[in-house]
Every structure is written in C-alpha cells, then in structure tokens.
Amino acid sequence: MGRSVKVIVQHFDDVHTESGRVACQDLVPDDVVVSGVKKLVGIDHSHLGVLRRAVEQHQDALKLEAAFEFVHLSGPGMQPLPLLVGKEEINPAIVKAADNALKERCDLLFLSIRGNEHNVLGLVQHPRPFDFVLPTEPDISLDACSDLVPYEAVKATLARIKKPAVELITHLRGRVKCPVLVLETPPPNPSEEHISRYPGGFQEKMRSQGISPAALRYKLWRTHSAVLKEACDTIGATFIPVPSNTMNPEGFLVEKAWQREPTHGNIWYGVQVLTQLLVAAGIPFQPGDVRS
Amino acid sequence: MTHPYKSLPDSAYWRRAVASVLPANVDPVMTVPFRISPQDRVATAGSCFAQHIARYLRNNGFNFFVTEEAHPLFAREMKERYNYELFTARYGNIYTTRQLLQLFQRAYGRFRPMDDAWYCDDGSIIDPFRPQIQPSGFTSWREYELDRSQHFAAVRRAFEELDIFVFTLGLTECWVSREDGAAYPLCPGVAGGRFDPRRHEFVNFGVDEVTADMLAFIDLLREINPALRVILTVSPVPLIATMEPQHVLVSTTYSKSVLRVAAETVVHARANVAYFPSYEIITGSFSRGKYFGEDCRLVTEEGVSHVMRVFLKHFTNFVDETKAKVDSDLEAKKYLAEMEQIIQVMCDEEALDKH
C-alpha cells in the first residue's frame, strides 16, 4: 500500500516539519519511522533544498514508503560555520546535527556537502584568466588569451579546497551502516546571459571581472566531480552522477533546470534527482507536475 | 732584491687571502665587469645549485625575471611541486651547455628532437627534456603540446627581454639521442621513458665541446639581445653518479675541471661575460667541508649564504629585502576565501529561499 512521504527538516538546533517548528528534543524517531517505511536522511549545505521541495510537492503523487529527514548545514539564522575546527576536527555542532538525524535508524544516507568548490575557483573570471585541458575530453575549446595551467594542479587545488567536505563525508560514512550516496553537484549553466541576469552574490565581482567562459566552468565542474568520486571510492560511499536528462548534449544544465541564481538547480531538477534517488533506494515513484 | 710577486696584492697570497681570513670572510672576487641595477631583469638557468641563486635574487630585491609564473590560484606548495618560478622559465634543471644550446634552438623552432615525448603506461606523457616538471606528467597530448608551446613562448620572451643571464654549469656527463644528438637532462628510464642502448648514447663532454656550446649559445642570444650580460658559475655539487668506469670522486673532479676551464675560456672569448666563483667558495678548503651537508654533496644554507653575500657585495650596491616579500600564497588564499565567502552567502540565500 502506498504511503505519503513524511518530511522532517533539521537546522542544527531547530527542527522544521510541515506542521511547524519543534524543538530538537521533541523529535521522537518513532514519529518519523513507521514500521516498514524506509528512512532516508539527506545532509547538505544547499543543493538538497530543491530535492526537499520536490518531496513536499509530490506527496500526493509519491507512491512510496519512505520517510525523509533533511539536515541543512546552512540556512535561516545560521552563521556560516566552518566544517572543521581546531586541528582539523569536524565542527561539533555539525556532528551533533548529523547524529540527531542518524541516531535511531537510517536506511539510506544521501549527501551534498558544500559542492560549489568549482564555482569558488572559476564561476567569476579570474583577474588573470586561466584554462586547462580536461584529460577525458581534451578537445574542448580553450581560451587562447588565458594561462594554460596543469590539469593535475587544478584538481589538487580543488581537492585542497574540498578537503573539509571530504572529511565530513568520511565521518558520516563511518557513522552509518547503510549505503551512503554522494550526489554530484548540478552541471554548470551554459548561459552567460542567464547568469548575468541572476548573479546572486557574485553581481559585483561579475561586473568587474566578468563570467568565466562556459567551457572552463564545465571543465571545473567535471574536475570537481572527479575529486569527489575519487574520495567516494576511497571511503566506501557511492558517487551518484547527475541524472542524464538534466544535461544537454554538451554536458551543461538543461534550461528547464535553471534556477534564478548561477550555482543551483531548480525544483524540476530536484524532482529528477529525487527520482534517481528513489530508484537507487528501490522505491517506486511516479512524479506528477512540477510547481516551480 | 725584488721580484714580480713583491707588488702583488694580498689576494694573490694564500696566507693573506685565505689562511689568515675568517672562513666566513673569504672573498675570492677581485673585480667584476659590470654591476646589476635594481631595474635589470635577471634571468637564471642551470643545474640545481642555480635554484639557490634564483631564490636569493628573488629575496634580495633583484628584478628576478620570471616569464612563466605559476597562476596565482595555486598555493606555494603547488607551485613548488610543479616547478614554477625555480628559474626564469619552467625549463627545470639544465645541466649541460649542450642542453642549454638546444633549449634555445628548440624554442625558436631550429631543432625538433625526434624523441619528442615519452608515453607512460597510465597514459600520461613525459617531456623528455623536462622529465620532472610535473609530478605525474601531462594528462593528454593536447595538454603537453599546449604547455610546451606556452613554455617555449616564455623561453623566447626571457631570452629577448633579459638584461643579465646567470647560468650555472653543472655536468659534463650526459645522455644523448643517437638519432639526432638531442641531449637529455636525465638518462631515459630514470624519470620516464625507456632506456634503449640502440637509441641512447652516453657522452662525457670535453672542454672544447662545453666551450663551443656555451659560445654558440651566447652568440645566438646576442643576435636577439645585443645588450646581454652573462654571469657564469660552476655548480659545486658533486656528481650523484658517474657512467665512466672510474670512481665518482675522480669523475667529479674531471667534470668540474672541464666546466671551470670552459667558463674561463668563454669569459676571455666574449665581452660582458663574468665568472663568479661560487664553486671556489663552497669547495675551498678554508671551509673545511662545512659547506656540504652530511652526504658531502648537497650544499648547506650557510654555504649558499656565503656565496650570495659575496655575489651581492660585488655585483650590486643595493639589497632590498622588503621588496621581495610579496606573499603570493597569501594572495591565493585571500582570493579563494573571498569567493568562498560569496558562495557561502549564496548557499545560505539558496537555503533561505527554499525553507
């Protein structure tokens, strides 16, 4: 028999449900996990926001037996906490939030920790433009006016920036016995016009420095994914590539997935990832119409 | 009674110039044919000892000329791993004068070695003439080709725009291609490639060959940069291994002797070429070997410091340590932190929008 999805969202100290905010200590696992229902826990900084909305919007259409719990590591009223503190110790506040969600039961843990490191490196054109050759797709165009930099150096730089996120993923992998899925970050938006129109916090930088060429942003995204996949292979997590229908033939985000900012997917994109996730969890799902 | 030695300066007498002088004050330089001004673009190349010279020039306010800089995104450790800014361009160690001459010829398209690339089992590509320039080689042919093209452009710019060229002669022993004489910095098979006795040949250059190569290089360089001034040094670092059927100590003495004689010959054969005695400062018996590390091979910081103190004293009349201390590592971190902050804010906003 089908059952509606139950959604719980946790923000460190606070827990949000559809019915409102309740204190953390009021969260009784039995309220979440009904017998026979799979409990799926998602932990992220921002990329799972659309996935949660997709879950909420499709409660009627969802023919699944699942309870979702989301732990967002950024959000309303939250300071941008570092993932690591002191001598590379994972931030205790984050550990506590994750432990809260995982302490009783978890049948599938899916993660999107940070995930915008490639945009840190090159969404905005660097004052000294750079470019590199992607070894898997060496024929992608290069900006002739840029410095050519070694691919492996770019990759190592991304790995260095990504290290705190990988540390947290490693910690969470060790925390549960269930499968751990690490979701690939959405592909880059190919449209400079769209990015210019919705630059988010990059407005000032983009005005002064411009937007990196789409080909470079694509290569950086692919390299970011390579770093993440290698980390997953090492720690025993499963790297989940973006759904193929969210990419155009050149590997960029399809237009119907564009968000009104430059680095995330929209609710339609969230539905595609949710579908992919449920397939991975062995849960049937027929999404209906998407409300943006 | 009188004789010619009577009128010689103290520097001509071992007792007065060496034995009775504090080791740290031994200064074998008499005169130099030119001085380096703060504006002069100083380029460096040579064996591993030349890296010390480059480092000191950079840290003492010289206009250390770098035409192939690391991208500012990369942290200092990354720059070092990828051999950026060790020398003026990213050519790595140039041990022999033949290698230096061929670098010029290759950069200007006058020589294209047949042994052009070494393919590794993992698909990566090693540059036979810069085998250790990247820790894992180049990841694709296109990356290799474009990087090499960028490198040659940086070499050409260096040669055409430099004012002073400091070159440290390092070795006489060398491996060359039997096909076209291309000189390798390392024996094929050591850091990439496969050694093949039918294709690779050992040579130990003599004085005439080293001198001819150095003169040919200077003449080529002067054609495109007539105001060029050159400072030659000989690396005091002994051979790590010899292919000659003799003791490595004997080979070291031979090799350094050849290089020293060649340097002297070149100084006398061309104008505006100076010899700087870093070799003598490090290996001179006055230091009682303390300028060498425990392996009796690598030069200690104290030794390098002595060399560069003398260098700066004679070739310059300025030292500006403050000018050189731009922390590029800090710059890289600052840029990334700024971008991360924006991303963080954006992610927060994304969350705000969704909850």
Side-chain angles (χ1 to χ4, degrees), chain B residues 77-274:
Chain B
E77 178 231 340
M78 198 70 66
K79 292 179 186 180
E80 287 168 4
R81 280 185 66 205
Y82 284 80
N83 292 289
Y84 281 102
E85 298 166 34
L86 289 178
F87 300 109
T88 293
R90 202 166 159 238
Y91 26 64
N93 293 337
I94 298 176
Y95 295 104
T96 60
T97 50
R98 180 67 50 86
Q99 211 190 321
L100 177 66
L101 176 60
Q102 289 182 355
L103 172 67
F104 186 100
Q105 294 167 331
R106 289 167 58 229
Y108 284 91
R110 301 179 191 185
F111 176 45
R112 192 178 176 98
M114 294 168 77
D115 194 6
D116 206 21
W118 290 339
Y119 293 88
C120 303
D121 293 340
D122 65 358
S124 61
I125 296 164
I126 302 289
D127 184 343
F129 306 99
R130 302 183 293 163
Q132 294 181 302
I133 209 71
Q134 303 217 148
S136 315
F138 295 89
T139 56
S140 64
W141 175 257
R142 192 173 187 216
E143 182 182 56
Y144 174 50
E145 212 171 23
L146 289 170
D147 184 272
R148 193 172 46 177
S149 167
Q150 180 171 269
H151 168 60
F152 283 156
V155 171
R156 290 194 299 272
R157 194 182 142 223
F159 287 161
E160 288 160 22
E161 297 181 14
L162 63 83
D163 295 305
I164 312 270
F165 184 58
V166 182
F167 182 67
T168 301
L169 294 91
L171 293 176
T172 55
E173 293 194 14
C174 178
W175 289 87
V176 298
S177 164
R178 289 184 191 275
E179 293 162 322
D180 56 12
Y184 304 102
L186 285 173
C187 178
V190 172
R194 285 186 184 81
F195 179 71
D196 181 348
R198 291 166 301 174
R199 299 182 64 207
H200 305 127
E201 176 184 21
F202 172 73
V203 291
N204 194 1
F205 296 123
V207 173
D208 292 345
E209 290 162 302
V210 174
T211 305
D213 286 342
M214 196 69 225
L215 288 174
F217 170 78
I218 290 172
D219 292 346
L220 283 170
L221 194 50
R222 282 237 159 94
E223 282 177 16
I224 57 166
N225 189 341
L228 162 78
R229 286 164 285 167
V230 177
I231 300 173
L232 296 178
T233 70
V234 171
S235 168
V237 180
L239 274 66
I240 199 162
T242 180
M243 266 308 289
E244 293 287 1
Q246 62 190 13
H247 197 282
V248 67
L249 195 56
V250 176
S251 283
T252 295
T253 301
Y254 169 79
S255 184
K256 301 301 177 185
S257 304
V258 165
L259 296 175
R260 180 65 191 87
V261 173
E264 194 74 15
T265 309
V266 171
V267 166
H268 291 293
R270 294 292 183 272
N272 275 329
V273 180

Side-chain angles (χ1 to χ4, degrees), chain A residues 23-34:
Chain A
C24 221
Q25 58 269 29
D26 294 334
L27 177 63
V28 180
D30 287 346
D31 287 350
V32 182
V33 183
V34 183

Side-chain angles (χ1 to χ4, degrees), chain B residues 21-71:
Chain B
V21 176
L22 283 173
N25 293 339
V26 170
D27 177 357
V29 178
M30 304 280 292
T31 58
V32 291
F34 52 81
R35 288 228 175 195
I36 305 173
S37 79
Q39 290 76 39
D40 283 333
R41 282 168 294 209
V42 183
T44 63
S47 70
C48 47
F49 185 74
Q51 291 178 23
H52 294 303
I53 295 177
R55 177 166 54 90
Y56 264 75
L57 292 177
R58 188 168 35 231
N59 291 341
N60 284 280
F62 280 87
N63 185 1
F64 177 56
F65 192 34
V66 177
T67 56
E68 200 170 3
E69 288 178 301
H71 194 277

Side-chain angles (χ1 to χ4, degrees), chain A residues 52 128 138 140 151 205, chain B residues 71 142-143 338 354-355:
Chain A
R52 184 181 65 76
R128 195 172 126 193
I140 294 176
Y151 165 77
K205 285 281 175 194
Chain B
H71 194 277
R142 192 173 187 216
E143 182 182 56
E338 200 179 350
K354 301 292 177 285
H355 303 304

Side-chain angles (χ1 to χ4, degrees), chain A residues 11 46 50 52-53 72 74-76 80 114 116 119-121 124-128 130 133 135 138-140 142 147-154 156-157 160-161 201-202 205 209 259 261-264, chain B residues 68-75 77-78 81-82 84 90 134 136-137 139-140 142-143 146-148 150 332-333 335-355:
Chain A
H11 271 293
S46 59
V50 289
R52 184 181 65 76
R53 278 183 70 202
H72 295 298
S74 62
R114 285 196 171 158
N116 265 323
N119 287 318
V120 168
L121 221 56
V124 173
Q125 175 98 293
H126 193 278
R128 195 172 126 193
F130 67 95
V133 178
D139 296 328
I140 294 176
L142 280 153
D147 278 13
L148 179 79
V149 297
Y151 165 77
E152 290 288 358
V154 174
T157 300
R160 185 172 62 84
I161 306 171
F202 285 103
K205 285 281 175 194
Q209 294 172 212
Q259 178 62 289
E261 60 84 69
T263 64
H264 295 83
Chain B
E68 200 170 3
E69 288 178 301
H71 194 277
L73 271 181
F74 298 140
E77 178 231 340
M78 198 70 66
R81 280 185 66 205
Y82 284 80
Y84 281 102
R90 202 166 159 238
Q134 303 217 148
S136 315
T139 56
S140 64
R142 192 173 187 216
E143 182 182 56
L146 289 170
D147 184 272
R148 193 172 46 177
Q150 180 171 269
K333 282 179 184 161
Y335 182 83
L336 293 177
E338 200 179 350
M339 289 299 159
E340 263 187 275
Q341 182 66 32
I342 293 173
I343 286 283
Q344 180 65 53
V345 170
M346 286 193 63
C347 289
D348 288 352
E349 286 170 348
E350 177 73 8
L352 276 168
D353 183 46
K354 301 292 177 285
H355 303 304

Side-chain angles (χ1 to χ4, degrees), chain A residues 37-52:
Chain A
V37 174
K38 286 185 177 175
K39 183 184 170 190
L40 284 67
V41 177
I43 302 178
D44 78 320
H45 279 86
S46 59
H47 286 293
L48 297 187
V50 289
L51 200 146
R52 184 181 65 76

Side-chain angles (χ1 to χ4, degrees), chain A residues 12-33:
Chain A
F12 282 125
D13 300 328
D14 296 325
V15 173
H16 299 238
T17 70
E18 303 100 308
S19 55
R21 294 162 78 98
V22 294
C24 221
Q25 58 269 29
D26 294 334
L27 177 63
V28 180
D30 287 346
D31 287 350
V32 182
V33 183

